[in-house]
Amino acid sequence: MTEPESAAQLADNIARQLQLLVQHLRHSPADHTAQALRRVLDTDNGALWGMTAVLVTGAQRTKEQADLGALPQEVPRALGRAASELNALGLDLDEEAAALGQAVRASTPARPAPPPASCDVRKRHHR
C-alpha cells in the first residue's frame, strides 16, 4: 500500500494542476474556457471556494500555533483577511459564473433532428 500524500505534497500537486489548467485555458475555444471557469467559480465544489476553505483552515490552525508563541499573531490574521477577501470576491463573481453557464448553453449548437427513416428501413425494423 502506498503512503498517503502529505499536505505539502497535495498542495504542490494542486499547484501543478492549476498551472496545467492555465495552459489549457490559453489554448481552449471560448466555450470550453467559459465552462472551465464556471466550474472554478462553482460555489459548492469550485477551486475558488476550495482555496477559500484552505485559507480559513490555515488561519484557524496557525492561530493555535500563534497562541503557543510558535508563530507571530500576524500570520493567522493575514490568512483570515485573505480568506475573507477571497470569499467576498467569490460572492461578487457568483453572478458572472451564472452568466458563464448561460454562455456555454448559448454557444452549444442544438443537435439537428435525424432525417426520417425511409420506408425500407422502417419495414426492416418491424420484421
Side-chain angles (χ1 to χ4, degrees):
M1 184 187 274
T2 61
E3 294 257 340
E5 286 184 295
S6 71
Q9 290 170 323
L10 189 54
D12 287 343
N13 288 337
I14 291 168
R16 280 191 289 279
Q17 291 294 313
L18 288 171
Q19 291 167 358
L20 187 60
L21 176 59
V22 169
Q23 292 304 313
H24 278 280
L25 292 177
R26 286 184 178 146
H27 303 288
S28 294
D31 60 326
H32 292 183
T33 299
Q35 186 177 36
L37 289 172
R38 185 177 55 87
R39 290 180 179 175
V40 166
L41 299 174
D42 180 69
T43 56
D44 293 323
N45 298 309
L48 184 64
W49 295 101
M51 183 55 63
T52 302
V54 166
L55 290 172
V56 167
T57 304
Q60 292 167 345
R61 295 300 310 239
T62 57
K63 171 93 171 82
E64 296 167 8
Q65 293 174 320
D67 289 344
L68 296 172
L71 287 173
Q73 288 291 332
E74 186 54 33
V75 172
R77 287 188 205 122
L79 289 170
R81 281 192 308 274
S84 292
E85 289 181 27
L86 197 54
N87 184 58
L89 287 171
L91 293 172
D92 289 345
L93 290 170
D94 198 33
E95 251 181 65
E96 283 69 20
L100 285 168
Q102 292 169 355
V104 169
R105 286 188 294 279
S107 68
T108 304
R111 288 187 178 171
S118 69
C119 292
D120 295 337
V121 171
R122 279 186 252 151
K123 287 178 186 173
R124 278 185 268 159
H125 286 292
H126 292 295
R127 289 185 188 173

